[in-house]
Amino acid sequence: MKIAVVKGDGTGPEVINEAIKVLNVATQRYEIPFSYQELDFSANRYLDTGQILSDDELDQLRQYDAILLGAIGDPRVPPGVLEKGILLKLRFELDQYINLRPVKLYPNVQTPLHNIQPEDIDYVVVRENTGGLYTGQGGFSEKNTPNEVATQEMIYSYEQVKRCLVYAYDMVLKRHAQQPWHGLSEAEKEQGYMGKLTLCGKTNVLTYVYDLWQRVLDELKDIYPQVLVDYVHVDAACIYMIECPQRFDVIVTGNMFGDIITDLAAVTQGGMGLAASGNINPNSVSMFEPIGGTAPQFTGLDQINPLAAISASHLLLDHLGYDQAALAIEEGKMAAIQQMTGMQAGKMGMGTTQVGDIVANAVAHPSISEQTA
Ligand code: IPM
Ligand code: MG
């Protein structure tokens, strides 16, 4: 397995170092041949050389089995230049049409929600990752005049919507196979459903785009009779994520809503310190990243939480089919969480490298119960 590593900017490098520390231990333990190639796509390179990410470099990336990415962005560069030029370009050009964002509350992690237990928050958001408002279509007319008009178009094709929904339906069944009946009431289980797919949209206002999503969702229903299908408007989804997150199993949504609700979701599971995502092209090279950004104010202080990047490496192994190694990392993560005082940078009760050491150590020395299982 050849892994391209893009550490990027800010705290990206230090969290990726911990993720690789953990990956090294996990791949050794399960005898998975792994090699890493570091590629410097970053603000520093841009400021030094003016280069962002060339088409040749993109082509090189297609030869890897997966990409592990830290974070992209820098206060010295105007907003959008690096985000669009590196991160979004990678997602779009490599056609990573799914952004998979698991949301899970681990024991011993503080959530700002009241009366919520770890078992109450365990769902995934399938965010469409190559279309919608992110296509960059639109523009200005009469810019810098009082008559100025700016447009930004939400664009979706039938095929884009369909492939995303198919992935989401399949995800419901995959989750059922791993741990059954997320998001269902007792009555729904008795009716024979295996899990639930919730479309998050805005059919009452975005009457073209989310009408298309709703129609394709319905069209696919017959192929997945075991999946209970639900719909929520995005504003209501924000309420439910706070008041009754138990109702969710797999949420599927467009690019912009997915961006917004997954930040909210991350807060409910204890913050950005834990949130990771997979940018997935099921037929080609996928990319895994923590979603917390560069956190420049914490750079180099050994204070940033590496668990999000470590979770990204867990998603990477899972995606490549190394379930056992992925599970070992998941358990290592839980071991570290048990010893930490908080998930926010500077409030962990220990340093970045120490968290990585605890996870790596737990992966290297599995618990007695697991050895005998
Ligand atoms: C994310 C980020 C990106 C996005 C930005 C940095 C372009 O917020 O991964 O959620 O909007 O997708
Ligand atoms: Mg975001």
Side-chain angles (χ1 to χ4, degrees):
M1 289 287 142
K2 281 166 48 195
I3 310 298
V5 178
V6 180
K7 294 183 177 177
D9 304 312
T11 51
E14 48 199 290
V15 295
I16 291 300
N17 288 344
E18 299 312 305
I20 290 178
K21 184 194 279 176
V22 170
L23 269 175
N24 275 334
V25 177
T27 52
Q28 265 164 32
R29 183 175 149 203
Y30 291 96
E31 295 173 4
I32 307 164
F34 247 55
S35 69
Y36 306 94
Q37 175 75 47
E38 212 180 298
L39 302 168
D40 180 27
F41 308 132
S42 64
N44 281 334
R45 184 177 88 139
Y46 171 66
L47 292 169
D48 286 350
T49 68
Q51 288 173 291
I52 300 186
L53 170 64
S54 71
D55 291 341
D56 278 353
E57 288 167 334
L58 254 174
D59 279 337
Q60 280 174 31
L61 279 169
R62 292 180 215 276
Q63 289 152 25
Y64 290 88
D65 293 290
I67 303 166
L68 184 62
L69 179 117
I72 301 287
D74 191 295
R76 294 168 297 171
V77 182
V81 173
L82 300 169
E83 291 86 343
K84 277 190 164 174
I86 301 178
L87 182 62
L88 296 182
K89 187 167 177 182
L90 286 167
R91 290 178 183 171
F92 276 65
E93 294 296 322
L94 299 175
D95 202 20
Q96 293 163 339
Y97 62 86
I98 299 296
N99 195 267
L100 181 67
R101 301 191 160 182
V103 186
K104 194 175 160 115
L105 179 63
Y106 289 91
N108 200 39
V109 173
Q110 254 209 320
T111 169
L113 306 189
H114 293 295
N115 301 322
I116 289 289
Q117 306 305 316
E119 60 272 19
D120 296 328
I121 303 184
D122 187 353
Y123 58 94
V124 299
V125 178
V126 173
R127 165 186 174 189
E128 201 289 327
N129 210 28
T130 55
L133 280 172
Y134 278 68
T135 48
Q137 297 301 305
F140 305 106
S141 63
E142 301 190 45
K143 194 173 177 184
N144 294 325
T145 74
N147 299 326
E148 176 166 352
V149 177
T151 58
Q152 197 102 37
E153 292 175 40
M154 185 181 278
I155 300 179
Y156 271 114
S157 71
Y158 171 81
E159 281 303 331
Q160 264 178 324
V161 171
K162 186 171 177 181
R163 66 185 184 171
C164 179
L165 287 171
V166 165
Y167 183 92
Y169 270 109
D170 286 340
M171 180 54 66
V172 175
L173 301 183
K174 181 179 172 192
R175 277 166 61 82
H176 179 82
Q178 286 167 349
Q179 195 196 329
W181 296 301
H182 294 274
L184 296 181
S185 67
E186 288 307 317
E188 288 159 350
K189 289 179 200 169
E190 271 166 33
Q191 287 165 37
Y193 290 115
M194 291 178 159
K196 185 172 176 183
L197 178 60
T198 305
L199 172 63
C200 166
K202 190 74 185 173
T203 50
N204 52 349
V205 176
L206 305 178
T207 48
Y208 306 125
V209 165
Y210 280 99
D211 184 79
L212 173 62
W213 280 82
Q214 180 77 68
R215 276 182 285 124
V216 185
L217 183 80
D218 291 341
E219 178 188 312
L220 293 166
K221 251 188 211 165
D222 290 347
I223 309 174
Y224 299 93
Q226 326 87 321
V227 176
L228 180 65
V229 174
D230 194 13
Y231 171 83
V232 293
H233 292 320
V234 61
D235 43 356
C238 293
I239 299 175
Y240 300 145
M241 286 163 68
I242 305 297
E243 289 196 336
C244 45
Q246 305 89 341
R247 65 176 282 152
F248 295 125
D249 177 8
V250 176
I251 299 178
V252 64
T253 188
N255 210 342
M256 187 77 257
F257 292 164
D259 175 48
I260 298 166
I261 68 168
T262 52
D263 270 20
L264 177 61
V267 171
T268 67
Q269 62 164 20
M272 285 300 184
L274 276 169
S277 77
N279 300 277
I280 294 174
N281 177 337
N283 314 306
S284 183
V285 52
S286 299
M287 176 168 79
F288 300 84
E289 53 169 334
I291 71 176
T294 55
Q297 69 277 30
F298 292 105
T299 304
L301 300 179
D302 195 42
Q303 287 185 4
I304 193 84
N305 191 345
L307 287 179
I310 291 169
S311 301
S313 69
H314 162 248
L315 289 174
L316 181 150
L317 285 172
D318 192 55
H319 175 75
L320 293 176
Y322 299 111
D323 308 0
Q324 275 189 309
L327 200 67
I329 293 187
E330 183 77 350
E331 284 170 4
K333 238 167 69 185
M334 290 171 68
I337 288 170
Q338 285 310 314
Q339 298 178 46
M340 293 162 73
T341 54
M343 295 301 123
Q344 270 75 30
K347 298 186 181 148
M348 303 188 292
M350 59 179 75
T352 307
T353 52
Q354 201 182 345
V355 176
D357 287 343
I358 296 175
V359 181
N361 195 43
V363 173
H365 304 103
S367 63
I368 306 292
S369 62
E370 199 205 334
Q371 282 172 350
T372 53

